[in-house]
């Protein structure tokens, strides 16, 4: 089963991959279909059964890609307190219905949620042996300004959360930005030493299999944020053994079997951990390099192993 937005490119591509390489047609579920569609959970002396009116085979699911889950889409009523109650009841039901399925989860929803918190990632990466740029995450404008002024080189600022929202690029903070720091009071922001880089690496982790792509970010307009320029060279690469060890330790500690990591190779030769997205974007990496990342993840969902023959 793939739990995602109905128009998610990655979900559609994974369904096609499963059909082509494994002869399987996965259930595709957008949680916004509930409660428009009805659902039930029943328990008796013979066991348990689950059903959603628009799906067949829910109890036969053996693996789940928890890709981009939404809250249930509950129609608004007259009173806000009633809306909050019904939203909580619907989310509690549909999540419990799914999470109770004894399947292999990519990723476990609890681990996925915890690992999505940037502060948890950074703390865990440091303990795993990664080099991590000096960082301040705060909603205190005075502390933010003090941090920026105390650092020996440039400082970048970026989002702290991972929720859906308008794209926000990573930028180097300037003195002209100090006058706008009051805005962080209601939006805690990440401030981090800027790493002068040789290149950026995006690594797709498939339960021990590393699909590493070297992005020649310094050759284009994405010197600070590699996402801004996909016209530069994307090349398959490998991580040094010590970095791979830290990566395995990190993902194990976070409880993730899948994730997309951003690592920056500094001009000092150090591999700096920036972040991991438990359900990050990777289709463009496969398009750019030909690496069989979808097949690897499909193999993990079906066989429990992300190895792809010939790679």
């Amino acid at each position: 089963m793939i739990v995602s937005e109905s128009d998610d490119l990655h979900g559609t591509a994974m369904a096609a991959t499963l059909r082509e390489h494994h002869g399987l047609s996965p259930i595709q579920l957008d949680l916004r279909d509930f409660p428009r569609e009805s659902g039930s959970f029943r328990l008796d002396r013979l066991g348990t059964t689950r059903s959603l009116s628009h799906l067949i085979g829910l109890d036969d699911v053996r693996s789940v890609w928890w890709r981009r889950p939404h809250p249930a889409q509950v129609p608004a009523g007259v009173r806000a307190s009633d809306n909050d109650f019904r939203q909580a009841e619907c989310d509690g039901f549909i999540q419990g219905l799914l999470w109770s399925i004894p399947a292999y989860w990519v990723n476990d929803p609890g681990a996925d949620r915890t690992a999505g918190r940037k502060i948890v990632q950074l703390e865990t990466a440091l303990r795993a042996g990664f080099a991590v740029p000096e960082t301040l995450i705060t909603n205190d404008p005075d502390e933010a300004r003090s941090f920026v002024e105390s650092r020996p080189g440039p400082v970048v600022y970026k989002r702290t959360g991972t929720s859906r929202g308008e794209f926000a690029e990573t930028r180097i903070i300037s003195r002209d930005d100090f006058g706008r720091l009051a805005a962080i009071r209601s939006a805690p922001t990440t401030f981090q030493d800027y790493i002068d880089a040789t290149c950026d690496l995006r690594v797709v982790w498939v339960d021990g299999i590393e699909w590493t792509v070297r992005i020649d970010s310094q050759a284009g307009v994405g010197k600070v944020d590699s996402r801004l320029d996909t016209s530069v060279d994307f090349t398959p690469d490998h991580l040094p053994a010590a970095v791979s060890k830290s990566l395995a330790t990190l993902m194990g500690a976070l409880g993730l079997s899948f994730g997309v990591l951003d690592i920056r190779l500094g001009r000092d030769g150090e591999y700096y951990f920036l972040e991991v997205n438990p359900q990050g974007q990777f289709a463009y990496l496969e398009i750019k390099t030909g690496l069989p990342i979808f097949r690897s993840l499909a193999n993990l969902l079906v066989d429990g192993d992300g190895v792809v023959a010939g790679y």
Side-chain angles (χ1 to χ4, degrees):
M1 179 166 65
I2 300 169
V3 183
S4 187
E5 301 160 337
S6 56
D7 58 352
D8 175 35
L9 165 66
H10 287 71
T12 301
M14 178 55 66
T17 302
L18 288 166
R19 285 191 293 268
E20 179 180 354
H21 294 281
H22 294 278
L24 298 173
S25 293
I27 294 172
Q28 293 182 258
L29 173 60
D30 187 330
L31 298 189
R32 294 173 295 184
D33 291 337
F34 188 81
R36 184 180 69 252
E37 301 285 355
S38 58
S40 298
F41 173 81
R42 180 166 180 170
L43 181 149
D44 58 29
R45 61 184 180 83
L46 297 178
T48 58
T49 56
R50 303 161 189 80
S51 65
L52 289 169
S53 57
H54 62 310
L55 301 178
I56 297 174
L58 198 58
D59 277 325
D60 297 325
V61 168
R62 293 296 173 263
S63 64
V64 181
W65 187 20
W66 189 245
R67 160 69 185 157
R68 289 176 66 88
H70 275 275
Q73 193 167 67
V74 183
V78 176
R79 297 195 307 170
S81 59
D82 289 343
N83 293 340
D84 292 342
F85 171 77
R86 291 186 299 149
Q87 185 71 54
E89 291 296 287
C90 285
D91 287 338
F93 169 78
I94 193 65
Q95 291 169 6
L97 181 74
L98 298 176
W99 296 352
S100 68
I101 297 174
Y104 177 64
W105 287 78
V106 180
N107 292 296
D108 174 84
D112 198 276
R113 177 170 179 161
T114 301
R117 300 297 185 257
K118 298 287 183 67
I119 293 173
V120 174
Q121 296 177 14
L122 292 169
E123 164 72 19
T124 308
L126 189 64
R127 288 190 283 107
F130 268 109
V132 180
E134 191 152 334
T135 302
L136 172 70
I137 302 176
T138 186
N139 74 330
D140 184 331
D142 292 333
E143 188 167 358
R145 178 170 181 162
S146 177
F147 175 80
V148 173
E149 291 180 330
S150 72
R151 303 308 302 150
V155 171
V156 299
Y157 65 98
K158 55 188 176 181
R159 286 188 63 194
T160 297
T162 57
S163 62
R164 292 174 179 83
E166 186 176 337
F167 174 79
E169 68 181 90
T170 299
R171 297 182 178 179
I172 294 177
I173 192 167
S174 68
R175 290 195 171 275
D176 291 341
D177 296 317
F178 285 176
R180 295 189 287 272
L181 282 175
I184 74 171
R185 180 65 70 185
S186 55
T189 299
T190 299
F191 300 88
Q192 196 170 61
D193 280 351
Y194 171 69
I195 303 301
D196 191 16
T198 298
C199 68
D200 284 272
L201 301 167
R202 197 155 171 92
V203 184
V204 184
W205 168 270
V206 184
D207 199 28
I209 308 299
E210 300 168 4
W211 301 102
T212 303
V213 177
R214 180 187 181 102
I215 304 172
D216 190 16
S217 54
Q218 305 309 293
V221 298
K223 290 181 174 64
V224 177
D225 188 335
S226 66
R227 298 171 299 173
L228 298 177
D229 191 349
T230 58
S231 68
V232 298
D233 289 340
F234 284 62
T235 311
D237 206 341
H238 294 88
L239 297 174
V243 180
S244 291
K245 182 178 179 181
S246 293
L247 175 53
T249 301
L250 168 67
M251 299 301 276
L254 292 175
L256 298 178
S257 54
F258 178 84
V260 182
L261 299 97
D262 290 316
I263 296 173
R264 174 158 274 215
L265 177 55
R267 293 194 182 277
D268 58 3
E270 191 67 79
Y271 288 76
Y272 290 90
F273 171 87
L274 299 182
E275 66 177 81
V276 54
N277 188 328
Q279 294 297 346
Q281 308 288 67
F282 61 89
Y284 73 105
L285 301 177
E286 179 160 328
I287 293 168
K288 286 282 190 178
T289 65
L291 289 173
I293 304 172
F294 277 102
R295 284 179 60 191
S296 180
L297 181 53
N299 290 351
L300 179 65
L301 289 166
V302 176
D303 301 322
D305 191 334
V307 171
V308 177
Y311 286 86

